[in-house]
Amino acid sequence: MEPVSIIKGSAYPIRRSNIDTDQILPAKWMKRVERTGYENGLFEIWREDSSFIINDPERSQASIIVAGENFGCGSSRQHAVWALRDFGIKAVISSRIADIHRGNLPQEGIVPVELDQDVVELIMAATEANPTVVIEIDVTNRTVTCEDAQVFAKPFRIDNASHFNLIHGYDPIDITLTFEKSIEKHESSRDPWLPKCSPEFA
Amino acid sequence: MASPRTLIDKIWESRLIDSKPEGDLIYIDLHLFNEVTSPQAFEGLKLKGREVRRPELCMATADHDVPTGKPGLQVLDEIADKQLRFQKTYCKEFGIEHYPMSSSGNGIIHVLGPEKGLTQPGMTIVCGDSHTATHGAFGAIAFGIGTSQVEHVLATQTLRLSRPKTMSVTFMGTPHPDATAKDLALAVINTLGTDGGTGYLIEFRGDVVHNLSMEGRMTLCNMAIEAGARSGLVAPDETTFAYLKGKERSPKGSLWDLAVDYWHSLATDPGAQFEKEIEIDVTGLGPMVTWGVNPAQSVPVGSKIPSLESFATKSERDAAVAALSYMGLEPGISVSDIPIHTVFIGSCTNGRLEDLQAAARVLAGRKVSSSIRALVVPGSASIKREAERLGIDKVFSKAGFEWRSPGCSMCVGMNGDVVPPGKHSASTSNRNFEGRQGPGARTHLVSPETAAATAVLGRIASPSDLPQVNKKKGK
Ligand code: SF4
């Protein structure tokens, strides 16, 4: 994956809290075995309404979603992140992004940006008022700037592990495999009663 | 002396391999799979030429896509079929224990783990499914992960994670005798909100929890995710050990004694600190029902949908307006006036034998209202067999329920079992999200007992609302 350092672009403000992953990508889109091609599933039901912000032609170049609190709650489906990625989303700004989704976003290079609700509100209002408003996310230094919202280099919250992998573009599996010795050591001292699986049971 | 630790701390620290500012590397003891969220992980693994590190710690089942009608029914579509075949292929290729559709060991993944004794106290358990929280009922750290993490666990049997914060939720007081674990779960979510648990693992504490059966604890922990928490746990106790004793994969012989000793030591030490401690007074709590599109939007059965003025914040009020518009309901109306079309009993929340028995007790000698389509979907093939042995299937069929084969079914509507657009369902599942049970479906979450009473009366009702059965005609 490419390292991510700066994200700059206009946004889709979605003034709604508790946007769950069933809304981001309806379950029928999970009926696929591919990892790409999910862009048309993004907010599929809400998009049927032509006034839904994602359909705004003035925002066709937008790359950031600004949403209400608890974005991405519900199902663990990473397919929702593939839909965001395939649609061209690079970052999600919310005062709170649900745990599993927050961990899934950076796996596809999308930056989960958590800011206090009053700052989210300023950015939301600015981009609602003007579709060309630009938001700049300095991933390396964990800050957000949006001049039109009078938000300057505001620090945002992001999990350390996600931040580390995003800015380095690391494949987390490669990193973990360098801990082979420690993993083996743990495996050699596991409790003897722990259960085992085998095709023979089935 | 070591400082007192919580159940969560003890498990986490026992599985800790490496600790860095960017997160802890923890070992995973059991990795579970459904057919929907794992194909891309296996593909990724193969693309990179990697192996499954510990196939003997993996177990897979088909649950989301499987049809639950008469045996021999075709799967819904080509893609479901593709996912099911895919799963078969990679399980074979990597030597993974697998329970395909219609096999005698098949069932919903979160029902199978406990039922086979694979879910044990002190373990770390993951699955590409958010309701993995269910397994926390045994005092395990069990949580849902995304597909990239599935791939990570396949390749390394570990995960790098920020250490979750700890929260205790202690129930105070005595609920009404009609309250079930489902009602407790809805009360927790109502109190915490859908994101109050974000970033936390919750330990459920207090007599109310420890008086629950294992099935009830599973229902409670299953829904911890709906309060935003990664998972919910209950410390293992005699109820846990009694449940596990003799299960297929439980420790045997001298290992059993060793294991029980260890499991005893897992309980939170007196004086241990949680990062957040919450008490919920459940005095008088009775049957609950959701009226909106998230599981926090609930009220007692028999009461009214809240008025808009009653919401404390603007965002809650906005959410309520949006929810009621989707649900086609008005603030202030009585929930018993909601026209119900479908009743669904099943899912990893309430599809276990005890749930079916509870519903059957309500249904005995009664009939489903003519306006209702009612179906019951056991959580696993073995639950179905056991229920049939006990004659519970007859109680359901006589009452007018469809008695079906195991699967996720109408919990997620991926197999063709859906609620028609615009219709209301009373469902024992866990999510009342927009479109969850099918496009336009309007879901009301309830316990199995409430679902059964609702089926009989054709409106949302609890068992105490039912007229007495004429004892002579009953049975
Ligand atoms: S029953 Fe529902 S919640 Fe449980 S695993 Fe199946 S789809 Fe998920």
Side-chain angles (χ1 to χ4, degrees), chain B residues 34 63-64 108-110 129 131 222 347-349 407-408 411-412 429-431 436:
Chain B
N34 60 39
D63 53 16
H64 281 55
I108 303 172
I109 190 78
H110 309 308
D129 188 286
H131 292 97
N222 171 280
S347 86
C348 61
T349 311
C408 296
C411 174
V412 66
S429 53
N430 42 56
R431 288 194 172 136
R436 171 82 178 181

Side-chain angles (χ1 to χ4, degrees), chain B residues 409-468:
Chain B
S409 180
M410 217 176 253
C411 174
V412 66
M414 281 181 72
N415 71 335
D417 295 346
V418 291
V419 176
K423 299 292 185 198
H424 292 261
S425 80
S427 174
T428 67
S429 53
N430 42 56
R431 288 194 172 136
N432 51 342
F433 296 163
E434 292 180 23
R436 171 82 178 181
Q437 294 192 294
R442 294 163 166 170
T443 304
H444 302 275
L445 302 177
V446 292
S447 70
E449 290 88 332
T450 299
T454 298
V456 172
L457 289 181
R459 58 179 177 83
I460 291 168
S462 69
S464 63
D465 297 323
L466 294 172
Q468 283 297 315

Side-chain angles (χ1 to χ4, degrees), chain B residues 37 140 233 243 321 365 387 391 435:
Chain B
T37 53
L233 292 81
Y243 179 98
V321 170

Side-chain angles (χ1 to χ4, degrees), chain A residues 18 30-31 35 78 161 187, chain B residues 22 27 79 83 147-148 194:
Chain A
N18 300 314
M30 296 177 68
K31 293 231 164 168
R35 270 175 176 263
Q78 193 159 330
E187 285 181 328
Chain B
E22 64 265 21
Y27 197 79
I79 299 147
Q83 287 183 335
T147 302
S148 293
T194 51

